[in-house]
Amino acid sequence: MGSLETARVADLLSDTLTAPTAGMRAAVAAAEVGDDVFGEDPTVRALEEEVAGLLGHEAGLFCPTGSLANQLGLRLHVPPGGELLADQLAHVVRAELGAAAVFSGITSRTWASVAGRLRAEAPISMLQLGVGPYQVETRLVVVENTHNFGGGTIQPLEEIDRLRSATRPLGVAMHLDGARLWNAHVATGVSLAAYGRLFDTVSVCLSKGLGAPVGSVLVGSAAAMAEARVWRKRYGAGMRQAGILAAGGLYAVRHHLDRLAEDHDRARRYASAVAEVAPVVDPTTVETNIVMLDTTPTRFSPAEFAAALGERGIRVYPADATRVRAVWHLDVDDTATDGAIAATREVLAG
Ligand SMILES: Cc1ncc(COP(=O)(O)O)c(C=O)c1O
């Protein structure tokens, strides 16, 4: 049977797949709205204020996507011809289609990491300042927490702190790609503000594990957000009655944050059950809602492994030359997780 006719057992492709819950739909339907380009949408303003407060920052800016929130953040800190430093697997360098270079004239240099985990020494050793007209000046360091392509990796607070201590006296800014910062917060108990305050700007996504259909928020100082607001409009993303969208995000922040722990538990349970039959994953490395399976010890390539699971109703993502990614979210319950375990064990036994 082809994958199109196969009944879907679990969709682990991405945590962006979630459908709005009934409560979220009701909140969207009831949203008070106004024209946000004129700053008159009360729901957008409430979301911006609430998220900025949670992250320990002065102001927020609602954006349609995480990529835009990141790109607005980057351009605030780096003038054309300046550079940012990021981990080699970071979303801003791997998956935003060169936007920093295309729109902002930013060059990027990357450091190598294991599973995307931040070791402060790596970016610290790359900082370049006062190099006159000969070399590119470092203006920004980007940290991703949790780390998507690293496999949901949580960044150690003390490493971020060490990096901040090194960058601050040099005037080098720091941006946090916190698309899944919610997961790091729920997994560690470290407050969102404790993470947020170590950065000049932070982007968070409402449309990933939190389950909103659309939206991200960029936070920073009031002056920085005023500037980002101008650029958001210039990029064509000034939205009008955007409270319809922001209401879903506000509902997500208020109702879907704590439940992320369930996604983490299920991801770990899946990894443990799969590791019992083949050494494709070390369950102790599963920190949040993402499981990376290493296909090297199997007879499958990542694409073949994903196809074999697809035939059994499980959708996963071939992440690179050796790994397949499975992501837990609001729409993957215990039954779906059991189904994913059974199918994966069957493929590995075959
Ligand atoms: C770490 C990270 N940052 C940013 C983004 C971008 O979000 P969006 O798809 O809303 O542009 C993603 C999307 O998957 C992501 O995983």
Side-chain angles (χ1 to χ4, degrees):
M1 203 183 343
S3 59
L4 282 180
E5 303 99 67
T6 307
R8 179 64 45 76
V9 176
D11 202 337
L12 307 174
L13 188 73
S14 169
D15 50 7
T16 56
L17 299 172
T18 55
T21 56
M24 185 180 286
R25 285 176 190 270
V28 168
E32 253 191 274
V33 296
D35 189 325
D36 184 50
V37 172
F38 292 104
E40 290 175 358
D41 189 302
T43 311
V44 171
R45 293 175 85 141
L47 174 69
E48 290 172 345
E49 275 171 33
E50 190 156 324
V51 172
L54 286 172
L55 291 162
H57 280 263
E58 241 171 29
L61 183 71
F62 184 51
C63 294
T65 66
S67 298
L68 182 64
N70 276 338
Q71 291 303 322
L72 292 175
L74 306 189
R75 72 166 305 130
L76 289 174
H77 308 298
V78 191
E83 79 173 0
L84 64 77
L85 304 179
D87 160 66
Q88 63 182 3
L89 297 173
H91 196 277
V92 293
V93 292
R94 270 197 83 200
E96 296 183 14
L97 310 188
V102 173
F103 297 123
S104 307
I106 298 173
T107 65
S108 302
R109 259 191 317 144
T110 58
W111 69 84
S113 71
V114 177
R117 176 116 41 220
L118 176 67
R119 295 280 168 248
E121 291 81 1
I124 290 172
S125 70
M126 294 168 69
L127 296 168
Q128 274 203 151
L129 289 117
V131 284
Y134 309 110
Q135 290 186 335
V136 180
E137 296 269 329
T138 308
R139 303 300 285 263
L140 175 70
V141 181
V142 181
V143 175
E144 187 173 313
N145 193 15
T146 67
H147 201 296
N148 178 355
F149 294 115
T153 311
I154 298 169
Q155 304 300 2
L157 193 62
E158 55 288 358
E159 291 295 314
I160 306 173
D161 204 28
R162 288 181 50 216
L163 182 55
R164 181 79 274 193
S165 301
T167 55
R168 186 173 278 122
L170 299 174
V172 172
M174 282 178 44
H175 173 78
L176 171 59
D177 178 353
R180 296 181 182 78
L181 186 66
W182 317 105
N183 297 81
H185 156 63
V186 166
T188 59
V190 172
S191 74
L192 291 163
Y195 284 121
R197 285 199 196 98
L198 292 170
F199 294 87
D200 299 279
T201 48
V202 182
S203 67
V204 287
C205 285
L206 308 160
S207 59
K208 310 236 154 37
L210 286 189
V214 174
S216 287
V217 181
L218 178 70
V219 305
S221 69
M225 290 309 99
E227 193 183 339
R229 195 171 291 275
V230 172
W231 279 101
R232 186 187 64 174
K233 182 73 166 65
R234 202 168 268 144
Y235 281 6
M239 298 179 289
R240 302 295 177 174
Q241 284 70 37
I244 287 288
L245 305 176
L250 206 47
Y251 184 91
V253 171
R254 292 177 182 168
H255 299 275
H256 293 168
L257 183 53
D258 293 339
R259 67 149 305 286
L260 292 175
E262 295 173 27
D263 297 341
H264 303 172
D265 290 345
R266 290 182 179 121
R268 220 169 290 122
R269 183 161 74 78
Y270 170 84
S272 301
V274 167
E276 280 172 16
V277 299
V280 290
V281 60
D282 173 356
T284 63
T285 63
V286 176
E287 299 177 6
T288 54
N289 64 326
I290 300 178
V291 177
M292 288 288 189
L293 299 178
D294 177 10
T295 57
T296 320
T298 74
R299 63 186 173 85
F300 301 101
S301 70
E304 290 164 350
F305 198 81
L309 283 175
E311 282 166 17
R312 291 161 176 82
I314 312 294
R315 196 157 65 136
V316 294
Y317 177 66
D320 54 33
T322 57
R323 299 181 309 165
V324 165
R325 188 189 71 175
V327 189
W328 268 258
H329 53 78
L330 199 51
D331 292 343
V332 183
D333 61 11
D334 280 331
T335 309
T337 303
D338 290 340
I341 290 170
T344 310
R345 288 167 68 126
E346 190 181 296
V347 168
L348 289 169

